[in-house]
Amino acid sequence: MTKSIISAFFIILILGMMVNEIEGQQQQQQRCEEALTEIDCGAGNCNALCLQKRKGLGRCVQRTPCDKLKCMCYYPCSS
């Protein structure tokens, strides 16, 4: 009985350490961005091109009120 309790404790402890390690790796992954000038913003075109080109997330953004909308692709730097 005591051996099974100790074994269960160590299994839970090891699994907890593995989860912390995996979460730490995911948080260290940096995000890159690229302006996709070959496409206009509208109707999901930006997101589709970003997904195809960089496996990322495309969004139409306006940096300042005077700027036109442009397609920005956000993706993990490692890809």
Side-chain angles (χ1 to χ4, degrees):
M1 180 74 177
T2 305
K3 284 184 180 181
S4 62
I5 292 173
I6 293 173
S7 296
F9 173 77
F10 280 114
I11 290 172
I12 292 171
L13 180 68
I14 290 170
L15 288 175
M17 290 182 353
M18 288 173 57
V19 167
N20 283 340
E21 180 68 26
I22 291 170
E23 286 178 357
Q25 288 174 356
Q26 289 175 349
Q27 289 174 356
Q28 291 175 1
Q29 192 176 54
Q30 292 182 338
R31 182 185 74 171
C32 289
E33 63 181 52
E34 174 185 3
L36 302 178
T37 56
E38 62 267 20
I39 195 163
D40 290 330
C41 283
N45 295 336
C46 178
N47 194 35
L49 181 62
C50 181
L51 187 63
Q52 178 183 7
K53 191 173 180 180
R54 297 283 187 182
K55 294 184 176 72
L57 180 66
R59 290 287 180 242
C60 293
V61 295
Q62 188 176 20
R63 298 285 180 171
T64 65
C66 298
D67 287 345
K68 289 175 63 177
L69 283 174
K70 67 176 159 181
C71 179
M72 293 298 295
C73 182
Y74 303 97
Y75 58 95
C77 292
S78 60
S79 66

Coordinates of all heavy atoms in Angstrom, one line a residue:
M1 N 0.8 -1.2 0.0 CA 0.0 0.0 0.0 C 0.9 1.3 0.0 O 0.6 2.2 -0.8 CB -0.9 0.0 1.2 CG -1.8 1.1 1.4 SD -3.1 1.0 0.1 CE -4.1 2.4 0.6
T2 N 1.9 1.3 0.8 CA 2.8 2.4 0.9 C 3.5 2.6 -0.4 O 3.7 3.8 -0.8 CB 3.7 2.3 2.1 OG1 3.0 2.0 3.3 CG2 4.6 3.5 2.3
K3 N 4.0 1.5 -1.0 CA 4.7 1.6 -2.2 C 3.9 2.2 -3.3 O 4.4 3.0 -4.1 CB 5.2 0.2 -2.7 CG 6.4 -0.3 -1.9 CD 6.9 -1.6 -2.5 CE 8.1 -2.1 -1.7 NZ 8.6 -3.4 -2.3
S4 N 2.6 1.8 -3.4 CA 1.8 2.4 -4.4 C 1.5 3.9 -4.3 O 1.4 4.6 -5.2 CB 0.5 1.6 -4.5 OG -0.3 1.7 -3.3
I5 N 1.4 4.3 -3.0 CA 1.2 5.7 -2.7 C 2.4 6.5 -3.1 O 2.3 7.6 -3.8 CB 0.8 6.0 -1.3 CG1 -0.6 5.4 -1.0 CG2 0.8 7.4 -0.9 CD1 -1.0 5.4 0.5
I6 N 3.6 6.0 -2.8 CA 4.8 6.7 -3.1 C 5.0 6.7 -4.6 O 5.4 7.7 -5.2 CB 6.0 6.0 -2.4 CG1 5.9 6.3 -0.9 CG2 7.3 6.6 -3.0 CD1 6.9 5.5 -0.1
S7 N 4.7 5.6 -5.3 CA 4.8 5.6 -6.8 C 3.9 6.5 -7.4 O 4.3 7.2 -8.4 CB 4.5 4.1 -7.3 OG 5.5 3.2 -6.8
A8 N 2.6 6.6 -7.0 CA 1.7 7.5 -7.5 C 2.1 9.0 -7.3 O 2.0 9.8 -8.2 CB 0.3 7.3 -6.9
F9 N 2.7 9.3 -6.2 CA 3.2 10.6 -5.9 C 4.3 11.0 -6.9 O 4.3 12.1 -7.4 CB 3.7 10.7 -4.4 CG 4.4 12.0 -4.1 CD1 3.6 13.1 -3.9 CD2 5.8 12.1 -4.0 CE1 4.3 14.3 -3.6 CE2 6.4 13.3 -3.8 CZ 5.6 14.4 -3.5
F10 N 5.2 10.1 -7.1 CA 6.3 10.4 -8.0 C 5.9 10.5 -9.5 O 6.3 11.4 -10.2 CB 7.5 9.4 -7.9 CG 8.4 9.6 -6.7 CD1 8.4 8.7 -5.7 CD2 9.2 10.8 -6.7 CE1 9.2 8.9 -4.6 CE2 10.0 11.0 -5.6 CZ 10.0 10.1 -4.5
I11 N 4.9 9.7 -9.9 CA 4.3 9.8 -11.2 C 3.7 11.2 -11.4 O 3.9 11.9 -12.4 CB 3.4 8.7 -11.5 CG1 4.1 7.4 -11.6 CG2 2.5 9.0 -12.7 CD1 3.3 6.1 -11.7
I12 N 2.9 11.6 -10.4 CA 2.2 12.9 -10.5 C 3.3 14.0 -10.5 O 3.2 15.0 -11.3 CB 1.2 13.1 -9.4 CG1 0.1 12.2 -9.6 CG2 0.8 14.6 -9.3 CD1 -0.9 12.1 -8.4
L13 N 4.3 13.9 -9.7 CA 5.4 14.9 -9.7 C 6.1 15.0 -11.0 O 6.3 16.1 -11.6 CB 6.4 14.6 -8.6 CG 7.6 15.5 -8.4 CD1 7.1 16.9 -7.9 CD2 8.6 14.9 -7.5
I14 N 6.4 13.9 -11.6 CA 7.1 13.9 -12.9 C 6.2 14.4 -14.0 O 6.7 15.2 -14.9 CB 7.6 12.4 -13.3 CG1 8.7 12.0 -12.3 CG2 8.0 12.3 -14.7 CD1 9.1 10.6 -12.4
L15 N 5.0 14.1 -14.0 CA 4.0 14.6 -15.1 C 3.9 16.1 -14.9 O 3.9 16.8 -15.9 CB 2.7 13.9 -14.9 CG 2.6 12.5 -15.4 CD1 1.2 11.9 -15.1 CD2 2.9 12.4 -16.9
G16 N 3.9 16.6 -13.7 CA 3.8 18.1 -13.5 C 5.0 18.8 -14.0 O 4.9 19.9 -14.6
M17 N 6.2 18.2 -13.8 CA 7.4 18.8 -14.3 C 7.5 18.8 -15.8 O 7.9 19.8 -16.4 CB 8.6 18.1 -13.7 CG 8.8 18.3 -12.2 SD 10.2 17.6 -11.4 CE 11.0 16.6 -12.5
M18 N 6.9 17.8 -16.5 CA 6.9 17.7 -17.9 C 6.0 18.8 -18.5 O 6.3 19.4 -19.5 CB 6.4 16.3 -18.4 CG 7.5 15.2 -18.1 SD 6.9 13.6 -18.5 CE 6.4 13.7 -20.2
V19 N 4.8 19.0 -17.9 CA 3.9 20.0 -18.3 C 4.5 21.4 -18.2 O 4.4 22.2 -19.2 CB 2.6 19.9 -17.5 CG1 1.7 21.2 -17.8 CG2 1.8 18.7 -17.9
N20 N 5.2 21.7 -17.1 CA 5.9 23.0 -17.0 C 6.9 23.2 -18.1 O 7.1 24.3 -18.6 CB 6.5 23.1 -15.6 CG 5.5 23.4 -14.5 OD1 4.4 23.8 -14.8 ND2 5.9 23.1 -13.3
E21 N 7.7 22.1 -18.4 CA 8.7 22.2 -19.4 C 8.1 22.5 -20.8 O 8.6 23.4 -21.5 CB 9.5 20.9 -19.5 CG 10.6 20.9 -20.5 CD 11.7 21.8 -20.2 OE1 12.0 22.1 -19.0 OE2 12.4 22.3 -21.2
I22 N 7.0 21.8 -21.1 CA 6.3 22.1 -22.4 C 5.8 23.5 -22.5 O 5.9 24.1 -23.5 CB 5.2 21.0 -22.6 CG1 5.9 19.6 -22.8 CG2 4.4 21.3 -23.8 CD1 4.9 18.5 -22.8
E23 N 5.1 23.9 -21.4 CA 4.6 25.3 -21.4 C 5.7 26.3 -21.6 O 5.5 27.3 -22.3 CB 3.8 25.5 -20.2 CG 2.4 24.8 -20.2 CD 1.7 25.1 -18.9 OE1 2.2 25.7 -17.9 OE2 0.5 24.6 -18.8
G24 N 6.8 26.1 -21.0 CA 7.9 27.0 -21.1 C 8.5 27.1 -22.5 O 8.8 28.2 -23.0
Q25 N 8.5 26.0 -23.2 CA 9.0 26.0 -24.6 C 8.0 26.8 -25.5 O 8.4 27.5 -26.4 CB 9.1 24.6 -25.1 CG 10.3 23.9 -24.5 CD 10.4 22.4 -24.9 OE1 9.5 21.9 -25.6 NE2 11.4 21.7 -24.5
Q26 N 6.7 26.6 -25.2 CA 5.7 27.3 -26.1 C 5.8 28.8 -25.8 O 5.6 29.6 -26.8 CB 4.3 26.8 -25.8 CG 4.1 25.4 -26.3 CD 2.8 24.8 -25.9 OE1 2.1 25.4 -25.0 NE2 2.4 23.7 -26.4
Q27 N 6.0 29.3 -24.6 CA 6.1 30.7 -24.3 C 7.3 31.3 -24.9 O 7.3 32.5 -25.2 CB 6.0 30.9 -22.8 CG 4.7 30.6 -22.2 CD 4.7 30.7 -20.7 OE1 5.7 31.0 -20.1 NE2 3.5 30.5 -20.1
Q28 N 8.4 30.6 -25.1 CA 9.7 31.1 -25.6 C 9.6 31.4 -27.1 O 10.4 32.1 -27.7 CB 10.8 30.2 -25.3 CG 11.2 30.2 -23.8 CD 12.3 29.2 -23.5 OE1 12.8 28.5 -24.4 NE2 12.6 29.1 -22.2
Q29 N 8.6 30.7 -27.8 CA 8.5 30.8 -29.3 C 8.1 32.3 -29.6 O 7.1 32.8 -29.2 CB 7.5 29.8 -29.8 CG 7.5 29.7 -31.2 CD 6.5 28.6 -31.6 OE1 5.3 28.7 -31.3 NE2 7.0 27.6 -32.4
Q30 N 9.0 32.9 -30.5 CA 8.7 34.3 -30.8 C 7.8 34.4 -32.0 O 7.7 33.5 -32.8 CB 10.0 35.0 -31.1 CG 10.9 35.1 -29.9 CD 12.2 35.9 -30.3 OE1 12.6 35.9 -31.4 NE2 12.8 36.5 -29.3
R31 N 7.1 35.5 -32.1 CA 6.2 35.8 -33.2 C 6.9 36.7 -34.2 O 7.4 37.8 -33.8 CB 4.9 36.3 -32.7 CG 3.9 36.6 -33.7 CD 2.7 37.3 -33.2 NE 3.1 38.7 -32.9 CZ 2.2 39.6 -32.5 NH1 1.0 39.3 -32.3 NH2 2.6 40.8 -32.3
C32 N 6.9 36.4 -35.5 CA 7.3 37.3 -36.5 C 6.2 37.9 -37.3 O 5.1 37.3 -37.2 CB 8.2 36.5 -37.5 SG 9.8 36.1 -36.8
E33 N 6.4 38.9 -38.0 CA 5.4 39.5 -38.8 C 5.9 39.9 -40.1 O 7.1 40.3 -40.3 CB 4.7 40.7 -38.1 CG 5.6 41.9 -37.8 CD 4.8 43.0 -37.1 OE1 4.2 42.7 -36.1 OE2 4.9 44.1 -37.6
E34 N 5.0 39.9 -41.1 CA 5.4 40.3 -42.5 C 4.2 41.0 -43.2 O 3.1 40.5 -43.0 CB 5.8 39.0 -43.3 CG 6.1 39.3 -44.7 CD 6.4 38.0 -45.5 OE1 6.3 36.9 -44.9 OE2 6.6 38.1 -46.7
A35 N 4.5 42.1 -43.8 CA 3.4 42.7 -44.6 C 3.3 42.0 -45.9 O 4.3 41.9 -46.7 CB 3.8 44.2 -44.8
L36 N 2.1 41.6 -46.2 CA 1.8 40.9 -47.5 C 1.3 42.0 -48.5 O 0.1 42.3 -48.5 CB 0.9 39.7 -47.3 CG 1.3 38.7 -46.3 CD1 0.2 37.6 -46.2 CD2 2.6 38.0 -46.8
T37 N 2.2 42.5 -49.3 CA 1.8 43.6 -50.2 C 1.1 43.1 -51.5 O 0.5 43.9 -52.2 CB 3.0 44.4 -50.6 OG1 4.0 43.5 -51.2 CG2 3.6 45.1 -49.4
E38 N 1.2 41.8 -51.8 CA 0.6 41.3 -53.0 C -0.9 41.1 -53.0 O -1.5 40.6 -53.9 CB 1.3 40.0 -53.4 CG 1.2 38.9 -52.5 CD 2.3 38.7 -51.5 OE1 3.1 39.7 -51.2 OE2 2.5 37.7 -50.9
I39 N -1.5 41.4 -51.8 CA -3.0 41.2 -51.7 C -3.6 42.4 -51.0 O -3.0 43.0 -50.2 CB -3.2 39.9 -50.9 CG1 -4.6 39.4 -51.1 CG2 -2.9 40.0 -49.5 CD1 -4.9 38.0 -50.7
D40 N -4.8 42.7 -51.4 CA -5.6 43.7 -50.8 C -6.4 43.1 -49.6 O -6.7 41.9 -49.6 CB -6.6 44.3 -51.8 CG -6.0 45.1 -52.8 OD1 -4.9 45.7 -52.6 OD2 -6.5 45.2 -54.0
C41 N -6.8 43.9 -48.7 CA -7.5 43.4 -47.5 C -9.0 43.3 -47.9 O -9.5 44.1 -48.5 CB -7.4 44.4 -46.4 SG -5.8 44.2 -45.5
G42 N -9.5 42.1 -47.5 CA -11.0 41.9 -47.7 C -11.3 40.5 -47.9 O -10.6 39.7 -48.5
A43 N -12.5 40.2 -47.4 CA -13.2 38.9 -47.6 C -12.3 37.7 -47.3 O -12.4 36.6 -47.9 CB -13.7 38.8 -49.0
G44 N -11.4 37.8 -46.3 CA -10.6 36.6 -45.8 C -9.4 36.3 -46.7 O -8.7 35.4 -46.4
N45 N -9.2 37.2 -47.7 CA -8.0 37.0 -48.6 C -6.7 37.0 -47.8 O -5.8 36.3 -48.0 CB -8.0 38.0 -49.7 CG -9.1 37.8 -50.6 OD1 -9.7 36.7 -50.7 ND2 -9.5 38.9 -51.3
C46 N -6.6 38.0 -46.9 CA -5.4 38.2 -46.1 C -5.0 37.0 -45.3 O -3.9 36.5 -45.3 CB -5.5 39.4 -45.2 SG -4.1 39.8 -44.2
N47 N -6.0 36.5 -44.6 CA -5.8 35.3 -43.7 C -5.5 34.1 -44.5 O -4.6 33.3 -44.2 CB -7.0 35.1 -42.8 CG -6.7 34.1 -41.7 OD1 -5.6 34.1 -41.1 ND2 -7.7 33.3 -41.4
A48 N -6.1 33.9 -45.7 CA -5.9 32.7 -46.5 C -4.5 32.7 -47.1 O -3.8 31.7 -47.1 CB -6.9 32.7 -47.6
L49 N -4.0 33.9 -47.5 CA -2.7 33.9 -48.1 C -1.6 33.7 -47.0 O -0.6 33.0 -47.2 CB -2.4 35.3 -48.8 CG -1.1 35.5 -49.4 CD1 -0.8 34.4 -50.5 CD2 -0.9 36.9 -49.9
C50 N -1.8 34.3 -45.8 CA -0.9 34.1 -44.7 C -0.8 32.7 -44.3 O 0.3 32.1 -44.0 CB -1.3 35.0 -43.6 SG -0.2 34.9 -42.1
L51 N -1.9 32.0 -44.2 CA -2.0 30.6 -43.9 C -1.2 29.8 -44.9 O -0.5 28.9 -44.5 CB -3.4 30.2 -43.7 CG -3.7 28.8 -43.2 CD1 -3.2 28.7 -41.8 CD2 -5.2 28.4 -43.2
Q52 N -1.4 30.1 -46.2 CA -0.8 29.3 -47.2 C 0.7 29.6 -47.3 O 1.5 28.7 -47.4 CB -1.4 29.7 -48.6 CG -0.8 29.0 -49.8 CD -1.4 29.5 -51.1 OE1 -2.2 30.4 -51.1 NE2 -1.0 28.9 -52.1
K53 N 1.1 30.8 -47.1 CA 2.5 31.2 -47.3 C 3.4 30.9 -46.1 O 4.5 30.5 -46.2 CB 2.5 32.7 -47.6 CG 3.9 33.3 -48.0 CD 3.8 34.7 -48.5 CE 5.1 35.2 -48.9 NZ 5.0 36.6 -49.4
R54 N 2.9 31.2 -44.9 CA 3.7 31.1 -43.6 C 3.1 30.3 -42.5 O 3.6 30.2 -41.5 CB 3.9 32.5 -43.0 CG 4.6 33.5 -43.9 CD 6.1 33.1 -43.8 NE 6.9 34.2 -44.5 CZ 8.2 34.1 -44.6 NH1 8.8 33.1 -44.1 NH2 8.8 35.0 -45.3
K55 N 1.9 29.7 -42.8 CA 1.2 28.9 -41.8 C 0.9 29.8 -40.6 O 1.1 29.4 -39.4 CB 1.9 27.6 -41.4 CG 2.0 26.6 -42.5 CD 2.7 25.3 -42.0 CE 2.7 24.3 -43.1 NZ 3.6 24.5 -44.2
G56 N 0.5 31.0 -40.9 CA 0.3 32.0 -39.8 C -1.2 32.5 -39.8 O -2.1 32.0 -40.4
L57 N -1.3 33.7 -39.2 CA -2.6 34.3 -39.0 C -2.5 35.7 -39.7 O -1.7 36.5 -39.3 CB -3.0 34.5 -37.5 CG -4.3 35.1 -37.2 CD1 -5.4 34.3 -37.7 CD2 -4.4 35.3 -35.7
G58 N -3.3 35.9 -40.7 CA -3.3 37.2 -41.4 C -4.4 38.1 -40.9 O -5.6 37.7 -40.7
R59 N -4.1 39.4 -40.7 CA -5.0 40.4 -40.3 C -4.8 41.7 -41.1 O -3.7 42.1 -41.3 CB -4.9 40.7 -38.8 CG -5.3 39.6 -37.9 CD -6.8 39.4 -37.9 NE -7.3 38.4 -37.0 CZ -7.9 37.3 -37.5 NH1 -8.2 37.2 -38.7 NH2 -8.3 36.4 -36.6
C60 N -5.9 42.3 -41.4 CA -5.8 43.7 -42.0 C -5.7 44.7 -40.9 O -6.5 44.7 -40.0 CB -7.1 43.9 -42.8 SG -7.2 42.9 -44.3
V61 N -4.6 45.5 -41.0 CA -4.4 46.5 -39.9 C -4.1 47.8 -40.5 O -3.7 48.0 -41.7 CB -3.2 46.1 -39.0 CG1 -3.5 44.8 -38.2 CG2 -1.9 45.9 -39.8
Q62 N -4.4 48.8 -39.7 CA -4.1 50.2 -40.1 C -3.3 50.8 -38.9 O -3.7 51.0 -37.8 CB -5.5 51.0 -40.2 CG -5.4 52.3 -40.7 CD -6.8 52.9 -40.9 OE1 -7.8 52.5 -40.3 NE2 -6.9 54.0 -41.7
R63 N -2.0 51.0 -39.2 CA -1.1 51.4 -38.2 C -1.4 52.8 -37.6 O -1.3 53.1 -36.5 CB 0.4 51.4 -38.8 CG 0.9 50.1 -39.2 CD 1.2 49.2 -38.0 NE 1.7 47.9 -38.5 CZ 2.2 47.0 -37.8 NH1 2.3 47.2 -36.5 NH2 2.6 45.9 -38.3
T64 N -1.7 53.7 -38.5 CA -2.2 55.1 -38.1 C -3.5 55.4 -38.8 O -3.8 54.8 -39.8 CB -1.1 56.2 -38.5 OG1 -1.0 56.2 -39.9 CG2 0.3 55.8 -37.8
P65 N -4.2 56.4 -38.3 CA -5.5 56.7 -38.9 C -5.4 57.2 -40.4 O -6.3 57.0 -41.2 CB -6.0 57.9 -38.1 CG -5.4 57.7 -36.7 CD -4.0 57.1 -37.0
C66 N -4.2 57.7 -40.8 CA -4.0 58.1 -42.2 C -3.6 57.0 -43.1 O -3.7 57.1 -44.3 CB -3.0 59.2 -42.2 SG -3.4 60.7 -41.3
D67 N -3.2 55.9 -42.6 CA -2.7 54.7 -43.4 C -3.9 54.0 -44.0 O -5.0 54.0 -43.5 CB -1.9 53.8 -42.6 CG -0.5 54.3 -42.2 OD1 -0.1 55.3 -42.8 OD2 0.1 53.7 -41.3
K68 N -3.6 53.3 -45.2 CA -4.5 52.4 -45.8 C -4.4 51.1 -45.0 O -3.4 50.8 -44.4 CB -4.2 52.2 -47.2 CG -4.5 53.4 -48.1 CD -4.0 53.1 -49.5 CE -4.8 52.0 -50.2 NZ -4.4 51.8 -51.6
L69 N -5.5 50.3 -45.1 CA -5.4 48.9 -44.5 C -4.4 48.1 -45.3 O -4.3 48.2 -46.5 CB -6.8 48.2 -44.6 CG -7.8 48.7 -43.6 CD1 -9.1 48.0 -44.0 CD2 -7.4 48.3 -42.2
K70 N -3.6 47.4 -44.5 CA -2.6 46.5 -45.2 C -2.7 45.1 -44.5 O -3.0 45.0 -43.3 CB -1.2 47.0 -45.2 CG -0.5 47.2 -43.9 CD 0.9 47.7 -44.2 CE 1.5 48.4 -43.1 NZ 2.9 48.9 -43.4
C71 N -2.3 44.1 -45.2 CA -2.4 42.7 -44.7 C -1.1 42.4 -44.0 O 0.0 42.4 -44.6 CB -2.6 41.8 -45.9 SG -2.6 40.0 -45.4
M72 N -1.2 42.1 -42.7 CA -0.1 41.7 -41.9 C -0.2 40.2 -41.5 O -1.3 39.8 -41.1 CB 0.0 42.5 -40.6 CG 0.3 44.0 -40.8 SD 1.9 44.4 -41.6 CE 3.0 43.8 -40.4
C73 N 0.9 39.5 -41.8 CA 0.9 38.1 -41.5 C 1.7 37.9 -40.2 O 2.9 38.3 -40.1 CB 1.5 37.3 -42.7 SG 1.6 35.6 -42.5
Y74 N 1.1 37.2 -39.2 CA 1.8 36.9 -38.0 C 2.0 35.4 -37.9 O 1.1 34.6 -38.0 CB 1.0 37.4 -36.8 CG 0.7 38.9 -36.8 CD1 -0.5 39.3 -37.3 CD2 1.6 39.8 -36.4 CE1 -0.8 40.7 -37.4 CE2 1.3 41.2 -36.5 CZ 0.1 41.6 -37.0 OH -0.1 42.9 -37.0
Y75 N 3.3 35.0 -37.7 CA 3.6 33.6 -37.7 C 4.8 33.3 -36.8 O 5.5 34.2 -36.4 CB 4.0 33.2 -39.1 CG 5.2 33.9 -39.7 CD1 6.4 33.4 -39.6 CD2 5.0 35.2 -40.3 CE1 7.5 34.2 -40.1 CE2 6.0 35.9 -40.8 CZ 7.3 35.4 -40.7 OH 8.4 36.1 -41.2
P76 N 4.9 32.0 -36.3 CA 6.1 31.7 -35.5 C 7.4 31.8 -36.3 O 7.5 31.4 -37.4 CB 5.8 30.2 -35.1 CG 4.4 29.9 -35.5 CD 4.0 30.9 -36.5
C77 N 8.3 32.4 -35.6 CA 9.6 32.7 -36.3 C 10.3 31.4 -36.8 O 11.1 31.5 -37.7 CB 10.5 33.5 -35.4 SG 10.0 35.2 -35.1
S78 N 10.1 30.3 -36.1 CA 10.8 29.1 -36.5 C 10.3 28.5 -37.8 O 11.0 27.6 -38.3 CB 10.6 28.1 -35.3 OG 9.3 27.8 -35.2
S79 N 9.2 28.9 -38.4 CA 8.7 28.3 -39.6 C 9.3 28.9 -40.8 O 9.8 30.0 -40.8 CB 7.2 28.3 -39.6 OG 6.7 29.6 -39.8

